[in-house]
Amino acid sequence: MEAIRQRIAARALVPGDRLPSIRQFAKTMRASPSTIVQAYDRLVAEGVIAPRLGSGFYVTGRTLPPLLLAEAHTPTTRAVDPFWVSRQSLDSDPTTLKPGCGWLPTEWMPNDALRKAFRAVARGENSILSEYGSTRGAVRLRRLLTAQFAEGGLDVSPDQVLLTGSGTQAVDLICRLLVRRGDTVLVDDPCYFNFQALLRAHEIRIVGVPYTATGPDTEAFEQIILREKPRLYITNSVVHNPTGSSLSPQTAFRLLSLSAASNLLIVEDDIFADFETTLVPRLAVMDGLEHVIRIGSFSKTLSASVRCGYIAARQDLIAGLIDLQVATSFGGPSPVITEVIADVLKGGSYRKHMLEIQRRLGKSRKVVACKLEDLGILPWVEPKSGFYLWCRLPDGQDSTDIAVRSMADNIIHAPGNVFSVSQSASSFMRFNVTQCEEERVFHSLEVLFAGRSLSKTAKSGL
Amino acid sequence: MEAIRQRIAARALVPGDRLPSIRQFAKTMRASPSTIVQAYDRLVAEGVIAPRLGSGFYVTGRTLPPLLLAEAHTPTTRAVDPFWVSRQSLDSDPTTLKPGCGWLPTEWMPNDALRKAFRAVARGENSILSEYGSTRGAVRLRRLLTAQFAEGGLDVSPDQVLLTGSGTQAVDLICRLLVRRGDTVLVDDPCYFNFQALLRAHEIRIVGVPYTATGPDTEAFEQIILREKPRLYITNSVVHNPTGSSLSPQTAFRLLSLSAASNLLIVEDDIFADFETTLVPRLAVMDGLEHVIRIGSFSKTLSASVRCGYIAARQDLIAGLIDLQVATSFGGPSPVITEVIADVLKGGSYRKHMLEIQRRLGKSRKVVACKLEDLGILPWVEPKSGFYLWCRLPDGQDSTDIAVRSMADNIIHAPGNVFSVSQSASSFMRFNVTQCEEERVFHSLEVLFAGRSLSKTAKSGL
């Protein structure tokens, strides 16, 4: 897109000119034809070029609003805070490599099942196509969820489940209901960076609990509860983000005992449940939703475009959450969205799809760990499930520094400190193994490390 | 659904029994076959009955979680507050009449265009099917919006537009960015009831500005600004909800002058723009987005299931709103949703569809106004566009009382006071003319009025 824009700006292409053919331009740019198709499509959407039936693409002569040119990327001068990784990876163009992002490549998703479900929507009832839907969200999907929960040992009725716009919105609604400005909320240190961004938006005091390979440090947890009197604790039990480790039964029991004694509510974000390959204890199951709220979504396993989250909680909490969702979103998630998710979950292929994903991930985690090890980058634990490797960089390399410098190579990394409340993870980096398929990721790190070592050597040589 | 459930509860139908055929049961219930199909489908979703290929539906014997039975309806004992109409109408079953709801019947929506767009999604790119999309939302839809704005005289670049999950979420994000707990926000009195629900969720002080047939009372507006120092004013310029009236140019100019002088920001909710049949001045256009934020959505004209809202605002505000949307929803609206909306808007049929809707509404407003007049229910103004009639009930009838008693007739009304900050609209009722097609609406009111008059007479006779 940039190359075409530059040619137009330089008047090498003027209004009415025909653009190079897809094949020809793919050769020039050393890109795949599908990348060029995508770039041309986007330029068409921007009105810069227009297709003529059967004869290629032409420059329209319409000028772009000047700000649009700068829009695609978040300025790199922005502080490397919890928003940094989100905005960089969400707004990146398709040529960017994203080992720092938190999702699977689109080819890994169950796209055929999604297509089938959308065809069914196109044939389906008007009410699914154009109505608001009920305040709790489609009962069909809530029943499927409760059936899943029951398999895991948690019996809840579908009316204890509220469907939300996303997993993030689920946490947001819970904070709105239960936490007030200035209250304290506990998170793991390190934890998913967007928990921090979200809590900051609520002007909530965030306190981190040191995370160990078997869950949060329960001694520290106890002391912090006594000292801080927090309202909530937000955590992942399975495939903890960013470390990839999971809760041990002992830690789970200890956490629940401590929380019950001090009336602390726990939000257990179960978003990675379908990646689980070994049996991990769930706080929501052990506790039976008395002091635990379970949330989750389908964005990591099914589709981030067909977005929907859920909250399973005590009946009294659900009633308040429904009103809040009506006030702030007018109703639950779209009937189309929930119908498509229910279709995919119910279709026979989903379980098989996830087994295949788990198999691929097991292999991918090993391959990427080996390649990282060659660079002296070592995983903190060896995760049994999921797509994250939480790794220490060699020689005191600073991960924020590496992340900023990687932008020049068109690579987005997730530096440790965006996950750390105490800012104590500067030598860590989270790698998404599914986004590390190109050698360029490793080569870029090697060059950056070498540069840093060279300049160190140069300095010490002075 | 209730009839089948009762038969199962009474063991008139036991596990393995075949249900009455659709045609036969439609006759028994005096309902249309499509209603029965819908009821059976829902019972299937609940697991109560199951289809057998080519031979009808059978009782499964699975028992429902007891709470589910009670769930479909919000308890009628609930206070008649701004949540009341939303929850009643969103959670109503298909047999309920909803003259109080705020949307068109599903058959009025452009369902064919939606089906076509979903078929295109099913054939389209993986990235639309399963990726998060960019933080501002699809540029394709933002460009279509800015082209629409330009037609109306407002030039903004697509990067001044942020797509959101819904129109309500747009207002919510703006409040999160600009207003703090305890601040004062102005709304019209009467105004769309969910503005109040939303502002209360933010713990914001709400002050109402008396609304006249040409917009807010500007003298009262001036005094209130001086006295209350509000941060925001939220209003509709076209087809004001609930009154159906629109802003006059004089009022628009005066409002903008007063707001600019006191640095008050105005949120102009343009959700009814596509219903407009006469040219109404827009605050956003006159002001050029300096002190005005334009919001809107496609829920009323295109689909409430394919939900998406937008915010058009100054660049500095958009930057903050993007971060807030990432923190609270992780990204903009779904690429599938925005793709479908863009497809429908771009398709040639949408404009024709809206012209037809406008024609039907003009007729419908007249017919319903006549029928209401027969009952002594008189519109406060005669709206030129839209589907609302804001009416005064005869003989000091109390609209809250009527709304509560109408529940027994399975009819949901929107009583005046849910729209009124000052609670001064007890004799008003908002009617959605498109939801008044059944005579039962008028007959029920007639009986209720008569009952009330009778009891009055009876009382005065004592």
Side-chain angles (χ1 to χ4, degrees), chain A residues 375-397:
Chain A
L375 297 170
I377 303 173
L378 299 177
W380 180 70
V381 291
E382 198 180 298
K384 294 193 179 65
S385 316
F387 48 83
Y388 293 135
L389 293 176
W390 177 244
C391 301
R392 188 187 288 277
L393 303 185
D395 309 324
Q397 296 274 359

PDB file of all heavy atoms in Angstrom, chain A residues 375-397:
ATOM      1  N   LEU A 375      19.435 -18.799  21.259  1.00  0.00           N
ATOM      2  CA  LEU A 375      19.761 -17.385  21.437  1.00  0.00           C
ATOM      3  C   LEU A 375      20.006 -17.058  22.909  1.00  0.00           C
ATOM      4  O   LEU A 375      20.156 -15.901  23.283  1.00  0.00           O
ATOM      5  CB  LEU A 375      18.617 -16.508  20.915  1.00  0.00           C
ATOM      6  CG  LEU A 375      18.295 -16.602  19.423  1.00  0.00           C
ATOM      7  CD1 LEU A 375      16.998 -15.866  19.111  1.00  0.00           C
ATOM      8  CD2 LEU A 375      19.440 -16.022  18.605  1.00  0.00           C
ATOM      9  N   GLY A 376      19.976 -18.078  23.757  1.00  0.00           N
ATOM     10  CA  GLY A 376      20.167 -17.857  25.194  1.00  0.00           C
ATOM     11  C   GLY A 376      18.904 -17.402  25.896  1.00  0.00           C
ATOM     12  O   GLY A 376      18.938 -16.929  27.032  1.00  0.00           O
ATOM     13  N   ILE A 377      17.751 -17.512  25.198  1.00  0.00           N
ATOM     14  CA  ILE A 377      16.463 -17.100  25.776  1.00  0.00           C
ATOM     15  C   ILE A 377      15.807 -18.330  26.394  1.00  0.00           C
ATOM     16  O   ILE A 377      15.486 -19.278  25.681  1.00  0.00           O
ATOM     17  CB  ILE A 377      15.548 -16.501  24.685  1.00  0.00           C
ATOM     18  CG1 ILE A 377      16.245 -15.330  24.000  1.00  0.00           C
ATOM     19  CG2 ILE A 377      14.206 -16.070  25.279  1.00  0.00           C
ATOM     20  CD1 ILE A 377      15.487 -14.771  22.804  1.00  0.00           C
ATOM     21  N   LEU A 378      15.622 -18.312  27.722  1.00  0.00           N
ATOM     22  CA  LEU A 378      15.172 -19.532  28.406  1.00  0.00           C
ATOM     23  C   LEU A 378      13.786 -19.388  29.021  1.00  0.00           C
ATOM     24  O   LEU A 378      13.506 -18.396  29.709  1.00  0.00           O
ATOM     25  CB  LEU A 378      16.177 -19.899  29.503  1.00  0.00           C
ATOM     26  CG  LEU A 378      17.585 -20.183  28.974  1.00  0.00           C
ATOM     27  CD1 LEU A 378      18.531 -20.459  30.133  1.00  0.00           C
ATOM     28  CD2 LEU A 378      17.572 -21.363  28.005  1.00  0.00           C
ATOM     29  N   PRO A 379      12.895 -20.374  28.776  1.00  0.00           N
ATOM     30  CA  PRO A 379      11.558 -20.288  29.385  1.00  0.00           C
ATOM     31  C   PRO A 379      11.633 -20.429  30.908  1.00  0.00           C
ATOM     32  O   PRO A 379      12.431 -21.204  31.439  1.00  0.00           O
ATOM     33  CB  PRO A 379      10.792 -21.456  28.764  1.00  0.00           C
ATOM     34  CG  PRO A 379      11.805 -22.338  28.132  1.00  0.00           C
ATOM     35  CD  PRO A 379      13.049 -21.561  27.925  1.00  0.00           C
ATOM     36  N   TRP A 380      10.766 -19.687  31.572  1.00  0.00           N
ATOM     37  CA  TRP A 380      10.711 -19.662  33.042  1.00  0.00           C
ATOM     38  C   TRP A 380      10.113 -20.970  33.554  1.00  0.00           C
ATOM     39  O   TRP A 380      10.574 -21.518  34.542  1.00  0.00           O
ATOM     40  CB  TRP A 380       9.850 -18.459  33.427  1.00  0.00           C
ATOM     41  CG  TRP A 380       9.643 -18.223  34.881  1.00  0.00           C
ATOM     42  CD1 TRP A 380      10.581 -17.798  35.787  1.00  0.00           C
ATOM     43  CD2 TRP A 380       8.419 -18.349  35.595  1.00  0.00           C
ATOM     44  NE1 TRP A 380      10.007 -17.663  37.014  1.00  0.00           N
ATOM     45  CE2 TRP A 380       8.678 -17.992  36.933  1.00  0.00           C
ATOM     46  CE3 TRP A 380       7.121 -18.732  35.233  1.00  0.00           C
ATOM     47  CZ2 TRP A 380       7.692 -18.001  37.910  1.00  0.00           C
ATOM     48  CZ3 TRP A 380       6.136 -18.731  36.203  1.00  0.00           C
ATOM     49  CH2 TRP A 380       6.432 -18.374  37.533  1.00  0.00           C
ATOM     50  N   VAL A 381       9.057 -21.461  32.883  1.00  0.00           N
ATOM     51  CA  VAL A 381       8.562 -22.818  33.105  1.00  0.00           C
ATOM     52  C   VAL A 381       8.325 -23.429  31.724  1.00  0.00           C
ATOM     53  O   VAL A 381       8.299 -22.707  30.730  1.00  0.00           O
ATOM     54  CB  VAL A 381       7.203 -22.886  33.855  1.00  0.00           C
ATOM     55  CG1 VAL A 381       7.344 -22.458  35.296  1.00  0.00           C
ATOM     56  CG2 VAL A 381       6.150 -22.091  33.129  1.00  0.00           C
ATOM     57  N   GLU A 382       8.123 -24.741  31.693  1.00  0.00           N
ATOM     58  CA  GLU A 382       7.772 -25.375  30.430  1.00  0.00           C
ATOM     59  C   GLU A 382       6.266 -25.626  30.455  1.00  0.00           C
ATOM     60  O   GLU A 382       5.807 -26.562  31.103  1.00  0.00           O
ATOM     61  CB  GLU A 382       8.535 -26.694  30.303  1.00  0.00           C
ATOM     62  CG  GLU A 382       8.592 -27.205  28.885  1.00  0.00           C
ATOM     63  CD  GLU A 382       9.381 -28.524  28.825  1.00  0.00           C
ATOM     64  OE1 GLU A 382      10.583 -28.522  29.160  1.00  0.00           O
ATOM     65  OE2 GLU A 382       8.759 -29.534  28.469  1.00  0.00           O
ATOM     66  N   PRO A 383       5.478 -24.791  29.782  1.00  0.00           N
ATOM     67  CA  PRO A 383       4.012 -24.906  29.877  1.00  0.00           C
ATOM     68  C   PRO A 383       3.513 -26.225  29.286  1.00  0.00           C
ATOM     69  O   PRO A 383       4.089 -26.725  28.318  1.00  0.00           O
ATOM     70  CB  PRO A 383       3.494 -23.729  29.053  1.00  0.00           C
ATOM     71  CG  PRO A 383       4.643 -22.804  28.911  1.00  0.00           C
ATOM     72  CD  PRO A 383       5.859 -23.667  28.910  1.00  0.00           C
ATOM     73  N   LYS A 384       2.466 -26.764  29.874  1.00  0.00           N
ATOM     74  CA  LYS A 384       1.885 -28.020  29.387  1.00  0.00           C
ATOM     75  C   LYS A 384       0.803 -27.749  28.336  1.00  0.00           C
ATOM     76  O   LYS A 384       0.383 -28.656  27.627  1.00  0.00           O
ATOM     77  CB  LYS A 384       1.287 -28.803  30.549  1.00  0.00           C
ATOM     78  CG  LYS A 384       2.346 -29.274  31.535  1.00  0.00           C
ATOM     79  CD  LYS A 384       1.778 -30.307  32.488  1.00  0.00           C
ATOM     80  CE  LYS A 384       2.850 -30.801  33.456  1.00  0.00           C
ATOM     81  NZ  LYS A 384       3.326 -29.716  34.375  1.00  0.00           N
ATOM     82  N   SER A 385       0.314 -26.527  28.271  1.00  0.00           N
ATOM     83  CA  SER A 385      -0.764 -26.186  27.336  1.00  0.00           C
ATOM     84  C   SER A 385      -0.569 -24.742  26.853  1.00  0.00           C
ATOM     85  O   SER A 385       0.227 -23.997  27.414  1.00  0.00           O
ATOM     86  CB  SER A 385      -2.136 -26.273  28.019  1.00  0.00           C
ATOM     87  OG  SER A 385      -2.259 -27.426  28.802  1.00  0.00           O
ATOM     88  N   GLY A 386      -1.331 -24.402  25.843  1.00  0.00           N
ATOM     89  CA  GLY A 386      -1.383 -23.013  25.408  1.00  0.00           C
ATOM     90  C   GLY A 386      -0.275 -22.617  24.459  1.00  0.00           C
ATOM     91  O   GLY A 386       0.493 -23.464  23.997  1.00  0.00           O
ATOM     92  N   PHE A 387      -0.250 -21.306  24.150  1.00  0.00           N
ATOM     93  CA  PHE A 387       0.692 -20.846  23.127  1.00  0.00           C
ATOM     94  C   PHE A 387       1.714 -19.837  23.628  1.00  0.00           C
ATOM     95  O   PHE A 387       2.404 -19.211  22.858  1.00  0.00           O
ATOM     96  CB  PHE A 387      -0.059 -20.314  21.897  1.00  0.00           C
ATOM     97  CG  PHE A 387      -1.186 -19.342  22.191  1.00  0.00           C
ATOM     98  CD1 PHE A 387      -0.918 -18.007  22.402  1.00  0.00           C
ATOM     99  CD2 PHE A 387      -2.507 -19.790  22.225  1.00  0.00           C
ATOM    100  CE1 PHE A 387      -1.947 -17.108  22.634  1.00  0.00           C
ATOM    101  CE2 PHE A 387      -3.547 -18.901  22.469  1.00  0.00           C
ATOM    102  CZ  PHE A 387      -3.276 -17.545  22.682  1.00  0.00           C
ATOM    103  N   TYR A 388       1.790 -19.683  24.961  1.00  0.00           N
ATOM    104  CA  TYR A 388       2.749 -18.715  25.498  1.00  0.00           C
ATOM    105  C   TYR A 388       4.003 -19.374  26.044  1.00  0.00           C
ATOM    106  O   TYR A 388       3.947 -20.439  26.661  1.00  0.00           O
ATOM    107  CB  TYR A 388       2.115 -17.915  26.643  1.00  0.00           C
ATOM    108  CG  TYR A 388       0.993 -16.996  26.221  1.00  0.00           C
ATOM    109  CD1 TYR A 388      -0.192 -16.942  26.957  1.00  0.00           C
ATOM    110  CD2 TYR A 388       1.120 -16.176  25.111  1.00  0.00           C
ATOM    111  CE1 TYR A 388      -1.226 -16.098  26.578  1.00  0.00           C
ATOM    112  CE2 TYR A 388       0.085 -15.329  24.728  1.00  0.00           C
ATOM    113  CZ  TYR A 388      -1.087 -15.295  25.463  1.00  0.00           C
ATOM    114  OH  TYR A 388      -2.104 -14.460  25.091  1.00  0.00           O
ATOM    115  N   LEU A 389       5.136 -18.702  25.824  1.00  0.00           N
ATOM    116  CA  LEU A 389       6.383 -19.032  26.535  1.00  0.00           C
ATOM    117  C   LEU A 389       6.852 -17.739  27.198  1.00  0.00           C
ATOM    118  O   LEU A 389       7.050 -16.725  26.526  1.00  0.00           O
ATOM    119  CB  LEU A 389       7.450 -19.541  25.567  1.00  0.00           C
ATOM    120  CG  LEU A 389       7.216 -20.894  24.880  1.00  0.00           C
ATOM    121  CD1 LEU A 389       8.353 -21.172  23.885  1.00  0.00           C
ATOM    122  CD2 LEU A 389       7.120 -22.030  25.910  1.00  0.00           C
ATOM    123  N   TRP A 390       6.992 -17.783  28.498  1.00  0.00           N
ATOM    124  CA  TRP A 390       7.452 -16.619  29.278  1.00  0.00           C
ATOM    125  C   TRP A 390       8.938 -16.840  29.524  1.00  0.00           C
ATOM    126  O   TRP A 390       9.316 -17.796  30.201  1.00  0.00           O
ATOM    127  CB  TRP A 390       6.658 -16.579  30.578  1.00  0.00           C
ATOM    128  CG  TRP A 390       6.989 -15.519  31.583  1.00  0.00           C
ATOM    129  CD1 TRP A 390       7.482 -15.728  32.844  1.00  0.00           C
ATOM    130  CD2 TRP A 390       6.787 -14.104  31.475  1.00  0.00           C
ATOM    131  NE1 TRP A 390       7.595 -14.548  33.520  1.00  0.00           N
ATOM    132  CE2 TRP A 390       7.179 -13.524  32.694  1.00  0.00           C
ATOM    133  CE3 TRP A 390       6.321 -13.269  30.456  1.00  0.00           C
ATOM    134  CZ2 TRP A 390       7.115 -12.145  32.941  1.00  0.00           C
ATOM    135  CZ3 TRP A 390       6.259 -11.897  30.697  1.00  0.00           C
ATOM    136  CH2 TRP A 390       6.647 -11.346  31.923  1.00  0.00           C
ATOM    137  N   CYS A 391       9.759 -15.998  28.918  1.00  0.00           N
ATOM    138  CA  CYS A 391      11.191 -16.312  28.853  1.00  0.00           C
ATOM    139  C   CYS A 391      12.055 -15.190  29.401  1.00  0.00           C
ATOM    140  O   CYS A 391      11.710 -14.010  29.316  1.00  0.00           O
ATOM    141  CB  CYS A 391      11.597 -16.518  27.389  1.00  0.00           C
ATOM    142  SG  CYS A 391      10.699 -17.842  26.584  1.00  0.00           S
ATOM    143  N   ARG A 392      13.229 -15.605  29.927  1.00  0.00           N
ATOM    144  CA  ARG A 392      14.213 -14.627  30.383  1.00  0.00           C
ATOM    145  C   ARG A 392      15.215 -14.381  29.246  1.00  0.00           C
ATOM    146  O   ARG A 392      15.711 -15.327  28.629  1.00  0.00           O
ATOM    147  CB  ARG A 392      14.931 -15.164  31.617  1.00  0.00           C
ATOM    148  CG  ARG A 392      15.834 -14.142  32.289  1.00  0.00           C
ATOM    149  CD  ARG A 392      16.649 -14.766  33.408  1.00  0.00           C
ATOM    150  NE  ARG A 392      15.863 -15.104  34.586  1.00  0.00           N
ATOM    151  CZ  ARG A 392      15.536 -14.235  35.554  1.00  0.00           C
ATOM    152  NH1 ARG A 392      15.901 -12.969  35.463  1.00  0.00           N
ATOM    153  NH2 ARG A 392      14.825 -14.623  36.598  1.00  0.00           N
ATOM    154  N   LEU A 393      15.482 -13.105  28.984  1.00  0.00           N
ATOM    155  CA  LEU A 393      16.457 -12.778  27.939  1.00  0.00           C
ATOM    156  C   LEU A 393      17.866 -12.930  28.521  1.00  0.00           C
ATOM    157  O   LEU A 393      18.060 -12.803  29.725  1.00  0.00           O
ATOM    158  CB  LEU A 393      16.241 -11.348  27.438  1.00  0.00           C
ATOM    159  CG  LEU A 393      14.848 -11.011  26.892  1.00  0.00           C
ATOM    160  CD1 LEU A 393      14.845  -9.594  26.312  1.00  0.00           C
ATOM    161  CD2 LEU A 393      14.431 -12.012  25.812  1.00  0.00           C
ATOM    162  N   PRO A 394      18.854 -13.184  27.654  1.00  0.00           N
ATOM    163  CA  PRO A 394      20.225 -13.388  28.159  1.00  0.00           C
ATOM    164  C   PRO A 394      20.926 -12.065  28.493  1.00  0.00           C
ATOM    165  O   PRO A 394      20.492 -10.998  28.044  1.00  0.00           O
ATOM    166  CB  PRO A 394      20.915 -14.068  26.970  1.00  0.00           C
ATOM    167  CG  PRO A 394      20.199 -13.533  25.774  1.00  0.00           C
ATOM    168  CD  PRO A 394      18.776 -13.310  26.199  1.00  0.00           C
ATOM    169  N   ASP A 395      21.963 -12.159  29.271  1.00  0.00           N
ATOM    170  CA  ASP A 395      22.919 -11.049  29.500  1.00  0.00           C
ATOM    171  C   ASP A 395      22.255  -9.762  29.958  1.00  0.00           C
ATOM    172  O   ASP A 395      22.642  -8.666  29.526  1.00  0.00           O
ATOM    173  CB  ASP A 395      23.711 -10.729  28.215  1.00  0.00           C
ATOM    174  CG  ASP A 395      24.324 -11.987  27.610  1.00  0.00           C
ATOM    175  OD1 ASP A 395      24.736 -12.857  28.393  1.00  0.00           O
ATOM    176  OD2 ASP A 395      24.348 -12.085  26.373  1.00  0.00           O
ATOM    177  N   GLY A 396      21.218  -9.854  30.760  1.00  0.00           N
ATOM    178  CA  GLY A 396      20.576  -8.639  31.269  1.00  0.00           C
ATOM    179  C   GLY A 396      19.997  -7.748  30.176  1.00  0.00           C
ATOM    180  O   GLY A 396      19.869  -6.534  30.348  1.00  0.00           O
ATOM    181  N   GLN A 397      19.679  -8.337  29.016  1.00  0.00           N
ATOM    182  CA  GLN A 397      19.030  -7.541  27.957  1.00  0.00           C
ATOM    183  C   GLN A 397      17.710  -6.984  28.492  1.00  0.00           C
ATOM    184  O   GLN A 397      16.985  -7.681  29.195  1.00  0.00           O
ATOM    185  CB  GLN A 397      18.740  -8.429  26.744  1.00  0.00           C
ATOM    186  CG  GLN A 397      19.970  -8.981  26.054  1.00  0.00           C
ATOM    187  CD  GLN A 397      20.537  -8.024  25.012  1.00  0.00           C
ATOM    188  OE1 GLN A 397      19.985  -6.938  24.784  1.00  0.00           O
ATOM    189  NE2 GLN A 397      21.649  -8.402  24.411  1.00  0.00           N
TER     190      GLN A 397
END
